[in-house]
Each structure stands twice: as structure tokens, then as C-alpha cells.
Amino acid sequence: MKSKFRDNVGQLIAKGLIVILMCSLTGCGGDSDDNSVTDEEVTTDGTVLSVDSSLFLVDDGYITITTVPCTLSDGTETDCYQIVSQHTPLDHEMGPWCPEYITDGAENGGLWITDDGVVDLDGAFIENLATFYNDDGWKMYDEDTGEVIRVETIEECQGGAQPNPPAEYQNMCAQCLPEWIEAQETYLIPIVPVKQETSIQLGDGPTIDLAGVEYGPYVRGLAFNGVRFDHPADLDVILAAYQVAPVDDAGGHVNNALGYHYHGDMGFSTRITQDDDHAAMIGYALDGHGIYAQLDAEGNEPTDLDDCRGHEDETRGYHYHVMPLENNEFFDCFYGAYAVE
Ligand SMILES: [Zn+2]
Ligand SMILES: [Zn+2]
């Protein structure tokens, strides 16, 4: 069954598939000092791929895509895809996050990021928190029943999410359930990415960002299922409240404002495998550049990544490779201009 909307998207796809070869910023001349070009200033023309909107999973109505005029952070007036997402992945299950009992195994809990790397948040980890963090303030279970103290309602989900929460929200395993939250968010992605000479640092969230510093967006990009690759979780704020806020095996969890979002790529969301053993494509950054998995088919990370974890090749143009979940970050700057309105 083809809806009218689908047809519109089909037209966008046709546009999106056009591969545009553009001069790189330094190779295109136009400035008046053309006759002083030295060898160092001559660069090869780079491949610039426009966003392929057909890769997003729009069929179930949790994502809609339209084309709108937009202005980018460098002043470029262009067209963007306006993507409205309900942050509901239909390509994999969500949860579990917090185990119910301290006797529960790893299959009943999610994953938690520690200084020792990513650990299974099973019942034994909950029971052992005071020892693990060397702090007697931890006690997240009922000694008589062995029941883990978890967020049980939307009110607790909201109350426990504030920094320095009241004591009643401390020593609580933070898990908000997707059915409590109706999230919908609108994203603008430039259809043709515009690479800049300098990068822009991305925001890490209101509790981490420094006052007076200019940051790019909090969100790094979108998976093809419409779920966002989000800024780092503020683990210090969470731990200070004697909370844990695990992600599920897919690297995602739910917060009261945005619903489900990713903190790591665990290979669960839709990915586009590449013919040449390059890492699979997993989504688009908000600057229109592709996002790819950390590792290629041989299990290796590219060795030529820049400070934003990007690099360039003829097939894919400029694109990013994410960090693993244990880094609590995908990548933390953009080399492309992003939409500001
Ligand atoms: Zn989160
Ligand atoms: Zn690559």
C-alpha cells in the first residue's frame, strides 16, 4: 500500500540520491588570490553525498519527513529534511533496564557505564554497589525481600531526573518506561552537508556545559529508526544521587523529556552494510554527514579519524565513526554546518 505521503518521500529520495561533486572549501578559487596558489593549497575535489531520506524507517508512522527551507550555522540558506520522530524503535526491542531482584541475572537488566568499562547491571551488581563504589551510602534493595528499589511511576521518573534529587529519589535504579512518555521532537538536517574549515564543539547537556561557551546541538544525530544519538549522560550527577540509570542491550534508555535515546551503538538499530568491508552506516548526523559504526567488518577502527572522529573517502564523502558505549559519547564535534532555523 502506497500512501500519498510515501509518494512525496519517493520524490525526495530521487533528489537525495543525486551525488554532488563539489569543490572543497580551499580548492574552489573564487577568492582574488588565485595566482598565489601553492601546492599545499591545492586539494582534490571531495565527494559530497546528500542525505538519503529513504533510509529512514517511515512506514510505521513514528517518523515523518518533509523538505523545508532552512538556514545553517554558517549562514547558508538551503533545504533541510524536517524529521519529526516519536523516538520509537520498531527494529528492536527496548529494555530491560533495572533488574527486579538482586538474584536476577544479566538477562533481566541492562548495561551500566563504569570507570572499569561497561558492566551488566544484574542483581548482583545492585547488591554490591556499596563495595563497588567504596561508599556505604549505597543501598538500592530491600534486605528482607531482595527486591531492587526502582523507579515505578512517571512521577518518580520525573522526580528522580532532577539534579540533586530529594532523598526519596536517592538509591533508586532509574528506569522510565517507554509507555509513560509521549515524546515527539522535530529535527532539521541539511540535505546537502556543508563542511566547514573548523569544527564546532557539541553541547553535553545543561549540567555539563560551561556558561559563556558556544556549543552546537546536544543531539549528535538520528538512527534510521528515528531514535537520537544523544549527548553523554551526566554520570557524576547520577552517581552523586546514589542512582544508576542503565541503558538496555541496544544502548538506549528512556528519559521523561525525550523518551528513548541512545548512548551507544550496540549493533541493534538498522544498519547499512558496505560492500567494501567499511563499517556499517547507522544514521545521519545533524550536520547531514553520515554516521558509521566504530569498527569495520574486520573489527578495526579507522586510523585516520580527525578530532570529530570523521574522515573522508570517495564512496561516502566526509562521515563520522562513533565511539563505543564505554566512552559515554558518540563524537563530540561537527565539521558540518547545522541548521539553526
Ligand atoms: Zn540518557
Ligand atoms: Zn569511514
Side-chain angles (χ1 to χ4, degrees):
M1 274 200 302
K2 268 187 122 188
S3 67
K4 183 147 183 277
F5 171 73
R6 193 72 186 120
D7 287 338
N8 289 341
V9 170
Q11 289 167 11
L12 301 182
I13 294 161
K15 267 206 269 181
L17 285 174
I18 297 167
V19 176
I20 301 166
L21 288 174
M22 285 172 56
C23 304
S24 71
L25 285 167
T26 52
C28 259
D31 291 326
S32 55
D33 59 349
D34 277 351
N35 49 9
S36 66
V37 168
T38 64
D39 283 346
E40 290 79 32
E41 287 172 296
V42 175
T43 59
T44 53
D45 290 352
T47 303
V48 177
L49 298 180
S50 53
V51 172
D52 181 354
S53 65
S54 72
L55 296 175
F56 287 94
L57 310 178
V58 298
D59 282 346
D60 290 290
Y62 289 107
I63 307 170
T64 57
I65 305 179
T66 51
T67 303
V68 298
C70 58
T71 305
L72 306 186
S73 51
D74 68 343
T76 302
E77 309 262 346
T78 184
D79 281 343
C80 285
Y81 285 128
Q82 176 175 276
I83 301 177
V84 179
S85 171
Q86 295 177 25
H87 302 160
T88 304
L90 291 175
D91 47 1
H92 67 79
E93 302 274 316
M94 291 182 275
W97 294 278
C98 298
E100 191 173 1
Y101 292 98
I102 56 172
T103 49
D104 280 349
E107 70 281 6
N108 296 315
L111 304 169
W112 178 234
I113 303 167
T114 76
D115 288 344
D116 298 340
V118 174
V119 298
D120 278 315
L121 195 83
D122 55 12
F125 188 84
I126 298 278
E127 186 178 15
N128 193 45
L129 279 167
T131 305
F132 186 86
Y133 286 112
N134 195 24
D135 180 343
D136 288 339
W138 289 95
K139 182 76 188 304
M140 202 180 282
Y141 62 97
D142 183 310
E143 219 156 65
D144 297 327
T145 62
E147 209 169 332
V148 175
I149 301 165
R150 310 185 290 183
V151 166
E152 301 283 1
T153 63
I154 176 65
E155 289 75 23
E156 288 180 348
C157 163
Q158 287 160 345
Q162 55 193 310
N164 307 311
E168 59 186 301
Y169 298 114
Q170 299 192 6
N171 270 304
M172 195 173 256
C173 188
Q175 62 165 22
C176 304
L177 300 185
E179 52 266 34
W180 299 343
I181 317 288
E182 265 187 45
Q184 178 164 296
E185 191 83 2
T186 300
Y187 302 92
L188 288 176
I189 299 184
I191 296 176
V192 180
V194 182
K195 193 162 182 250
Q196 309 292 294
E197 286 181 6
T198 56
S199 62
I200 175 81
Q201 180 73 32
L202 299 178
D204 284 343
T207 58
I208 298 179
D209 286 350
L210 305 171
V213 177
E214 193 195 335
Y215 296 97
Y218 289 157
V219 58
R220 277 55 179 150
L222 294 178
F224 297 123
N225 59 18
V227 175
R228 57 196 263 161
F229 298 115
D230 219 337
H231 64 82
D234 190 339
L235 301 178
D236 292 339
V237 161
I238 295 168
L239 292 171
Y242 296 105
Q243 292 178 345
V244 289
V247 293
D248 60 18
D249 288 348
H253 63 183
V254 173
N255 76 21
N256 59 318
L258 293 165
Y260 191 73
H261 56 277
Y262 292 122
H263 287 290
D265 167 45
M266 305 301 288
F268 281 54
S269 69
T270 294
R271 44 229 298 118
I272 314 296
T273 51
Q274 307 288 297
D275 291 337
D276 56 0
D277 279 359
H278 183 277
M281 189 178 189
I282 60 171
Y284 279 104
L286 279 207
D287 67 359
H289 290 120
I291 304 178
Y292 290 76
Q294 181 199 6
L295 305 175
D296 66 18
E298 308 285 319
N300 298 315
E301 183 177 281
T303 54
D304 60 346
L305 298 178
D306 61 27
D307 51 319
C308 297
R309 294 187 59 82
H311 69 168
E312 189 160 355
D313 65 39
E314 278 182 18
T315 309
R316 287 158 286 264
Y318 183 78
H319 60 276
Y320 302 107
H321 286 265
V322 297
M323 292 187 224
L325 173 64
E326 66 180 45
N327 288 46
N328 188 26
E329 178 62 281
F330 292 99
F331 49 90
D332 62 4
C333 50
F334 283 162
Y335 263 103
Y338 55 93
V340 291
E341 59 186 282

